[in-house]
Amino acid sequence: MTPKQVLEMAKEKGAKVVDLRFLDFPGVWQHFTVPVRELEESSFEDGYGFDGSSIRGWQPIHASDMLVIPDPATAKMDPFFEAPTLVLIGNIVDPITREAYTRDPRNIAQKAEAYLKRSGIGDTAFFGPEAEFFIFDDIRFESSKHRAFYEIDSVEGSWNTGREECPNLGYKPRPKEGYFPVPPMDKFQDLRTEMVLTLESLGIDIEAQHHEVATAGQAEIDMRFKPLLEMGDQLMWFKYVLKNVAYRHGHTVTFMPKPLFEDNGTGMHTHISIWKDNIPLFAGDKYAGISQEALYAIGGILKHCRALCALTNPTTNSYKRLVPGFEAPVNLAYSSRNRSAAIRLPMYSPSPKAKRIEFRTPDASCNGYIAFSAMLMAVIDGIENKMDPGDPLDKDIYNLPPEELAEIPSAPGSLEDALDALKEDHDFLLKGDVFTQDVIDVWIDYKIKKEVNDVKLRPHPHEFYLYYDI
């Protein structure tokens, strides 16, 4: 879509205002709104000014002025605002040099796509994330000097079988038994369908929706694969739509990886494939019908997985899900059907177009643009350096004898461990200036100071249970 076509769309749809959106460093959408008369063809070159020092992980106060340049290809009408609102996702640039801002996650994604083309390996990297989430009815939490708690509630919560609900009609999924039950056990079929239809009205192709394994409203909606940058944009719309549809009906959605104790966490299994001249490069005659390039790509992800986790599983809570021995994909191995391996090769279809690798470790707390870009850089590094992933692991990992399990490398056990791995292993991300050293340094510094240390310094409620009477 051209700037002129965007203006025609705004007129046709009766837009009253324009909402400009961009992503902060950790991965949350930010926005501000201008009257539609402020949108001209020149706006797509001149941009709009804002204070970059107020965005997490961005500019210092003495160099705060930034510009957001709207991308005409991203134009959509917002499905929730009362006034007809045209939404444009923007790229961030320096107002003086007009250079793309290196800490803008969307800029990183654009550079990753360009680097793939320059490498000669392929021209398109497709990503298909399965972003799981929870739908809750109530969430309360506090963290202060003298008090800390959280409390979650859900009409589906297995803990509510004895609650007075006037009447309590039962049908609450037991822990780890929430996969695919029909209503009335599944309470959120209509809500998820409304989410799907809202996404499709925005031009986002959906493949399926269903209840997930955990009690208390765990769910999954799967988007059809798209090129990296486009999927980065779609993931932001995805989170926005799900949260707002739920909010409209008195529910709340979270992509926090592990909000419930003793039940399944939520991940974001990510399907990856590379194409060149409309030919899928990951289809071949090797193991599970994949190509040698796909095996090398797996080798790249497995080699760099511990560092990747700092970007694909970037919260302290992520590692409450990634715990060895609890069905989490922490073992750095690959398999055609074994879902306990970090990388799975889906076998649903024999079509060459369906051949891809599924990286199962990530979760949806990540910044999609950054996570997808990092995955692609690991894939490219694996292919360029012909990284052998070793033999597939088609055994049940959790029933292996200890001596055999000890030979399988594992994902980091904490965010701090993952950040340490990123410190030691990030040269593959710097190729082609896709990630800069500044981006890596600021990411690590931000995560340590704002998240790791903040959690480490606070007493945990369970510590009172364990130690108060000592």
Side-chain angles (χ1 to χ4, degrees):
M1 190 176 291
T2 65
K4 183 177 180 180
Q5 289 172 325
V6 172
L7 295 177
E8 291 171 351
M9 173 185 173
K11 184 175 181 180
E12 177 188 341
K13 300 292 186 180
K16 302 295 184 184
V17 293
V18 179
D19 206 48
L20 298 155
R21 298 185 185 175
F22 55 93
L23 206 64
D24 68 6
F25 213 34
V28 176
W29 241 357
Q30 312 294 306
H31 79 132
F32 62 91
T33 307
V34 300
V36 72
R37 67 173 181 275
E38 295 293 319
L39 183 69
E40 303 173 346
E41 284 192 57
S42 60
S43 303
F44 294 87
E45 293 184 5
D46 297 340
Y48 299 84
F50 69 97
D51 177 7
S53 68
S54 297
I55 306 301
R56 293 185 297 173
W58 277 18
Q59 290 293 88
I61 192 68
H62 65 273
S64 61
D65 290 350
M66 303 294 288
L67 287 176
V68 56
I69 309 293
D71 182 346
T74 65
K76 297 183 187 296
M77 294 298 294
D78 188 278
F80 301 106
F81 291 160
E82 182 176 345
T85 301
L86 176 71
V87 176
L88 291 165
I89 301 174
N91 298 312
I92 309 303
V93 303
D94 185 282
I96 299 174
T97 66
R98 307 292 296 190
E99 292 181 354
Y101 186 43
T102 57
R103 296 185 199 173
D104 175 13
R106 202 163 187 267
N107 176 40
I108 293 171
Q110 290 168 324
K111 290 191 291 183
E113 287 191 320
Y115 181 70
L116 172 64
K117 293 177 181 177
R118 291 200 307 274
S119 74
I121 292 171
D123 49 44
T124 308
F126 287 108
F127 284 80
E130 301 175 8
E132 298 168 340
F133 56 97
F134 275 94
I135 304 166
F136 294 137
D137 297 330
D138 190 65
I139 173 67
R140 296 184 297 121
F141 52 87
E142 181 181 331
S143 180
S144 58
K145 292 183 184 301
H146 70 292
R147 175 167 129 138
F149 79 94
Y150 70 89
E151 186 168 339
I152 295 166
D153 208 0
S154 168
V155 68
E156 272 197 0
S158 60
W159 57 85
N160 279 326
T161 55
R163 182 175 67 176
E164 180 59 64
E165 293 181 347
C166 303
N168 188 325
L169 301 177
Y171 301 115
K172 302 181 191 300
R174 288 175 287 272
K176 301 183 183 298
E177 294 186 21
Y179 198 60
F180 283 18
V182 297
M185 188 70 83
D186 177 0
K187 305 288 192 298
F188 298 114
Q189 168 69 17
D190 290 339
L191 187 69
R192 293 193 309 269
T193 294
E194 183 176 336
M195 292 169 176
V196 167
L197 296 178
T198 304
L199 289 165
E200 292 219 312
S201 74
L202 292 164
I204 297 173
D205 298 325
I206 301 299
E207 293 184 334
Q209 63 96 338
H210 58 84
H211 203 289
E212 258 297 342
V213 174
T215 188
Q218 191 183 38
E220 179 175 315
I221 297 175
D222 297 332
M223 293 180 280
R224 183 172 294 276
F225 63 89
K226 296 292 180 185
L228 190 158
L229 179 66
E230 186 176 351
M231 184 52 76
D233 290 342
Q234 282 194 182
L235 184 59
M236 297 315 301
W237 274 110
F238 182 87
K239 291 183 176 183
Y240 176 76
V241 166
L242 269 56
K243 289 176 181 178
N244 277 281
V245 169
Y247 190 79
R248 187 159 61 188
H249 290 277
H251 302 290
T252 177
V253 157
T254 182
F255 293 91
M256 184 177 175
K258 188 68 174 178
L260 294 183
F261 175 53
E262 293 187 326
D263 210 336
N264 280 40
T266 51
M268 189 180 73
H269 307 154
T270 302
H271 299 255
I272 309 166
S273 63
I274 294 180
W275 291 48
K276 186 175 184 179
D277 299 327
N278 293 317
I279 297 173
L281 298 186
F282 284 1
D285 58 0
K286 304 296 182 183
Y287 172 78
I290 63 173
S291 65
Q292 185 63 61
E293 287 82 1
L295 286 171
Y296 290 148
I298 292 170
I301 290 181
L302 293 179
K303 175 179 174 58
H304 299 299
C305 186
R306 291 181 61 82
L308 285 176
C309 284
L311 304 170
T312 62
N313 303 79
T315 69
T316 59
N317 185 254
S318 297
Y319 300 87
K320 302 293 194 296
R321 166 183 170 256
L322 295 181
V323 179
F326 289 88
E327 301 180 18
V330 299
N331 297 288
L332 304 188
Y334 71 102
S335 172
S336 62
R337 300 179 72 179
N338 191 338
R339 291 170 183 262
S340 59
I343 294 180
R344 187 175 75 97
L345 304 172
M347 301 298 292
Y348 298 125
S349 171
S351 169
K353 294 182 178 180
K355 293 300 178 183
R356 74 270 192 193
I357 61 179
E358 178 190 359
F359 185 25
R360 297 175 61 81
T361 306
D363 66 60
S365 69
C366 70
N367 181 324
Y369 300 101
I370 289 177
F372 299 150
S373 299
M375 292 179 216
L376 177 58
M377 296 304 288
V379 163
I380 293 172
D381 195 48
I383 295 173
E384 287 184 332
N385 292 289
K386 296 181 169 53
M387 293 180 181
D388 182 2
D391 296 328
L393 186 65
D394 291 329
K395 303 175 183 179
D396 181 354
I397 292 175
Y398 300 108
N399 286 325
L400 290 178
E403 61 274 11
E404 193 171 344
L405 186 61
E407 296 179 2
I408 302 172
S410 182
S414 70
L415 178 57
E416 190 169 17
D417 288 347
L419 293 167
D420 285 341
L422 182 61
K423 286 180 187 177
E424 299 300 320
D425 177 25
H426 60 258
D427 287 349
F428 72 102
L429 297 171
L430 303 179
K431 293 180 179 179
D433 199 41
V434 174
F435 288 78
T436 64
Q437 188 64 52
D438 171 73
V439 165
I440 300 297
D441 292 343
V442 171
W443 181 270
I444 292 171
D445 185 66
Y446 181 90
K447 288 288 176 178
I448 290 290
K449 290 181 177 178
K450 300 291 187 179
E451 298 178 29
V452 171
N453 286 349
D454 269 10
V455 171
K456 188 186 296 186
L457 291 170
R458 282 168 168 75
H460 189 285
H462 196 63
E463 290 176 318
F464 287 85
Y465 174 83
L466 293 172
Y467 308 128
Y468 188 76
D469 60 339
I470 288 177

